[in-house]
Amino acid sequence: MKKTLMTLAVLAAGALATPAMAADCAITIEGNDQMLFNIKSVEVPKACTKYTMTLKHTGKMPKSSMGHNIVLTTTADANAAAADGMKAGAAAEYVKPGDTRVIAFSKVIGGGESTTFDFDVSKLKAGTEYTYLCSFPGHSFIMRGVLKLGS
């Protein structure tokens, strides 16, 4: 009886530990009509090969006046990539076509919409700080967060 209880206890402990060990390779970030992201810092687990980001626009305004996207770049390149994105315009999702500074980006969405994109985690380097931002005109200095590669 004692041996059976010990075996069950070990199995239960293993079952409880499994979810905690699994890497969470996705996140949902919300943007609103006040030009704010609800999450300001993201740590991507090193164990992930692909990371999925979902942007949910919780506001009501249309994308023509309060559109949001997510553009991921190094922090060093963030301001220049955002400026070039604004120049690229709405047809290019406010991302300069072929911009090598941009690791990944989403399409621009309006109130009530959501969009999802993936990126290859091998593009991230340990010790490098990344920024995710909204490149819609006038949003990039307010709507941004920090992303880093975790352990």
Side-chain angles (χ1 to χ4, degrees):
M1 179 74 171
K2 196 173 192 181
K3 191 174 183 180
T4 303
L5 288 175
M6 183 63 99
T7 302
L8 287 173
V10 169
L11 289 173
L16 292 174
T18 301
M21 287 189 244
D24 188 4
C25 300
I27 194 164
T28 297
I29 298 173
E30 296 177 356
N32 60 34
D33 287 342
Q34 289 72 43
M35 295 191 306
L36 297 171
F37 284 138
N38 69 324
I39 296 174
K40 298 291 185 185
S41 179
V42 175
E43 186 170 318
V44 176
K46 196 179 222 176
C48 298
T49 55
K50 176 181 80 166
Y51 197 75
T52 302
M53 295 184 87
T54 298
L55 173 62
K56 182 178 177 185
H57 193 320
T58 60
K60 303 218 182 296
M61 296 177 75
K63 75 178 183 178
S64 60
S65 60
M66 189 56 69
H68 298 319
N69 67 352
I70 291 179
V71 177
L72 177 62
T73 184
T74 64
T75 298
D77 290 333
N79 292 342
D84 287 345
M86 280 194 306
K87 291 176 196 168
E93 305 293 345
Y94 297 106
V95 176
K96 178 182 171 185
D99 192 339
T100 58
R101 299 168 299 190
V102 174
I103 297 164
F105 67 95
S106 74
K107 69 179 189 172
V108 176
I109 58 171
E113 297 179 320
S114 65
T115 185
T116 299
F117 66 100
D118 300 321
F119 65 88
D120 183 353
V121 175
S122 70
K123 292 182 178 183
L124 304 180
K125 294 179 180 24
T128 300
E129 185 176 279
Y130 299 90
T131 293
Y132 60 92
L133 57 88
C134 175
S135 64
F136 190 88
H139 293 196
S140 69
F141 287 105
I142 300 167
M143 292 187 78
R144 57 174 61 204
V146 174
L147 183 140
K148 67 179 183 174
L149 183 62
S151 51

